[in-house]
C-alpha cells in the first residue's frame, strides 16, 4: 500500500512565524503535490514537483515555497505565516508513470495561524 | 475559466441508492476522478473515467458523458460508513487536476 505521511496532524503558529510542513512518501513516486483545502472550495494546488530539486507553481503559490531535496520528501514552507493561511494542508504523491496517474494523499495538517 | 460543479450536501437513507452529480467546464479533458473523504481524513481514490459510459466497482459506479460535460457517482445499498464527502476532479489539457468543492453525503438510519 502507498503510504504518504505528514509531519503533524494539527499545528498552531503565530503570525509572522516561519512554518515547515513535511511530507514523506514510501513508494518511490516521482510526483508530489501540496494542496490546501478550505470549506466550500475545492482542493487548490499550491506547488508540485515532478523530480528531485524540481518545483512548479500551482494555482496559489503566493506566500509559500517548497523544497524537494530527496525523492521521498516534499516540504512546504510558509516564510511568514499569516491568518489567511489557516487551512487544511494536504500532500499527495503519484507514480509518474503516466499522465493520468492516481494521486495518493497524506492525512493532512490542520494549520491554525493566530 | 475552469469550473467543476457538484451539490454541496445530500442526504440519503441507509440501504437506499444515491446519485451524486458533477458537471464540468474545463480547458480540455483527460479523465475524471472521484475521491471519497471522511471527515478529518485524507481523500481516497474511488474511480477514474476517461471514456463515456458506466464503470462499476462493487456498490459504487461512476458514469461519464464527455459531450455533456457530466459525470455521476452512484452508491447502492448505502451503509452508515458511506457518510463522507465525495470529490469530483477533472484532468485538464495540461494534465492538471481541477477539483470540485465536494458533496457532503449524510446517511440516516
Amino acid at each position: 500500500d502507498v503510504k504518504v505521511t505528514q509531519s503533524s496532524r494539527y499545528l498552531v503558529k503565530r503570525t509572522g512565524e516561519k512554518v515547515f510542513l513535511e511530507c514523506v512518501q514510501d513508494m518511490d513516486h516521482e510526483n508530489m503535490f501540496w494542496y490546501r483545502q478550505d470549506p466550500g472550495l475545492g482542493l487548490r494546488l499550491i506547488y508540485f514537483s515532478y523530480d528531485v530539486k524540481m518545483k512548479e507553481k500551482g494555482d496559489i503559490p503566493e506566500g509559500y515555497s517548497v523544497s524537494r531535496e530527496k525523492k521521498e520528501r516534499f516540504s512546504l514552507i510558509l516564510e511568514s505565516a499569516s491568518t489567511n493561511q489557516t487551512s487544511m494542508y494536504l500532500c499527495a504523491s503519484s507514480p509518474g508513470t503516466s499522465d493520468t496517474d492516481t494521486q495518493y494523499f497524506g492525512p493532512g495538517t490542520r494549520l491554525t495561524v493566530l | 475559466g475552469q469550473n467543476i460543479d457538484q451539490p454541496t450536501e445530500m442526504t440519503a437513507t441507509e440501504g437506499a441508492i444515491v446519485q451524486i452529480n458533477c458537471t464540468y467546464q474545463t480547458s480540455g479533458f483527460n479523465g475524471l476522478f472521484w475521491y471519497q473523504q471522511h471527515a478529518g481524513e485524507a481523500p481516497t481514490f474511488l474511480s477514474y473515467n476517461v471514456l463515456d459510459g458506466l464503470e462499476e466497482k462493487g456498490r459504487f459506479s461512476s458514469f461519464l458523458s464527455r459531450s455533456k460535460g457530466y459525470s455521476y457517482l452512484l452508491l447502492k445499498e448505502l451503509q452508515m460508513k458511506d457518510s463522507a464527502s465525495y470529490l469530483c476532479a477533472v484532468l485538464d489539457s495540461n494534465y492538471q487536476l481541477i477539483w470540485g468543492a465536494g458533496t457532503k453525503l449524510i446517511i440516516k438510519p
Side-chain angles (χ1 to χ4, degrees), chain A residues 42-61:
Chain A
L43 290 167
R44 292 183 290 169
L45 183 63
I46 304 171
Y47 268 97
F48 60 100
S49 169
Y50 288 153
D51 200 355
V52 176
K53 296 192 185 294
M54 177 271 181
K55 60 186 178 185
E56 291 283 346
K57 292 180 179 179
D59 298 320
I60 52 164

Side-chain angles (χ1 to χ4, degrees), chain A residues 7-64:
Chain A
S7 49
S8 307
R9 291 298 302 271
Y10 300 94
L11 208 53
V12 180
K13 295 292 182 181
R14 298 225 173 259
T15 302
E17 278 192 82
K18 191 168 186 175
V19 183
F20 292 88
L21 302 182
E22 303 284 341
C23 176
V24 178
Q25 49 92 6
D26 68 355
M27 283 302 291
D28 201 35
H29 282 179
E30 300 291 330
N31 305 334
M32 296 189 76
F33 307 83
W34 273 108
Y35 292 94
R36 63 178 284 176
Q37 186 176 33
D38 299 289
L41 300 175
L43 290 167
R44 292 183 290 169
L45 183 63
I46 304 171
Y47 268 97
F48 60 100
S49 169
Y50 288 153
D51 200 355
V52 176
K53 296 192 185 294
M54 177 271 181
K55 60 186 178 185
E56 291 283 346
K57 292 180 179 179
D59 298 320
I60 52 164
E62 296 78 20
Y64 303 95

